Amino acid sequence: MRGIGVNDDEHNAFQWFYESAERNHHADAAFVVAQCFQNGLGVPEDSEQAVVWCHRAADLGHTDAEFNIACCYLMGRIVQKNEEKAADYFSRAAEKENIEAMINLGKFFAHGVGVELDRSKAKQWYDAAEAVVKQAE
């Protein structure tokens, strides 16, 4: 978090992001607050608060937060392991063309993890991820 024309002040920057997330329900700000807690930027490191804020950002539609929360549920990191919730959050991010989420969702369908086994849906997600990559080239 770098200021332009002002001194670096991580705590003050954190406060502004926190206020925007809390008052305005701003997804990007909530995700930054989560990252601050995760990395100890402007506040003491706190993995539990990082997950709380990442969850808020995900529920506000932040794609990276959706992906990160899916990973937390998949691995049981800070939250109780829940493959169905992981699939739900991967699906949300995949719908927004997050390539990693698309691939993970494909794996879930291919192996019946958190969703009913469905190899045709797995292929659809793999193909969709490939299309996004080709489009970006």
Side-chain angles (χ1 to χ4, degrees):
M1 294 184 285
R2 293 256 183 248
I4 298 173
V6 297
N7 294 329
D8 290 350
D9 185 344
E10 289 178 351
H11 180 71
N12 193 36
F14 169 82
Q15 292 293 12
W16 282 106
F17 283 112
Y18 180 88
E19 187 173 322
S20 180
E22 190 69 31
R23 284 188 182 177
N24 303 321
H25 307 287
H26 193 274
D28 289 336
F31 188 65
V32 171
V33 169
Q35 292 176 315
C36 288
F37 277 117
Q38 184 64 39
N39 299 304
L41 299 172
V43 291
E45 251 182 61
D46 186 333
S47 294
E48 289 183 14
Q49 280 299 304
V51 169
V52 166
W53 281 95
C54 194
H55 214 292
R56 283 189 186 186
D59 289 341
L60 290 168
H62 193 281
T63 308
D64 291 337
E66 291 166 336
F67 179 81
N68 289 355
I69 287 297
C71 292
C72 288
Y73 280 120
L74 178 61
M75 295 183 267
R77 189 174 52 211
I78 309 300
V79 297
Q80 185 174 350
K81 184 175 180 165
N82 186 321
E83 293 171 340
E84 291 81 15
K85 284 186 178 183
D88 178 53
Y89 281 100
F90 278 137
S91 180
R92 294 178 192 195
E95 291 291 338
K96 296 175 188 150
E97 296 188 344
N98 178 297
I99 295 167
E100 291 177 280
M102 295 166 104
I103 292 168
N104 279 304
L105 197 54
K107 289 178 185 177
F108 275 35
F109 280 110
H111 301 285
V113 176
V115 294
E116 192 173 315
L117 180 81
D118 188 332
R119 297 204 193 275
S120 67
K121 282 188 181 178
K123 184 174 178 347
Q124 287 174 347
W125 281 112
Y126 292 142
D127 290 346
E130 181 181 21
V132 171
V133 169
K134 285 183 179 178
Q135 182 181 16
E137 292 176 344

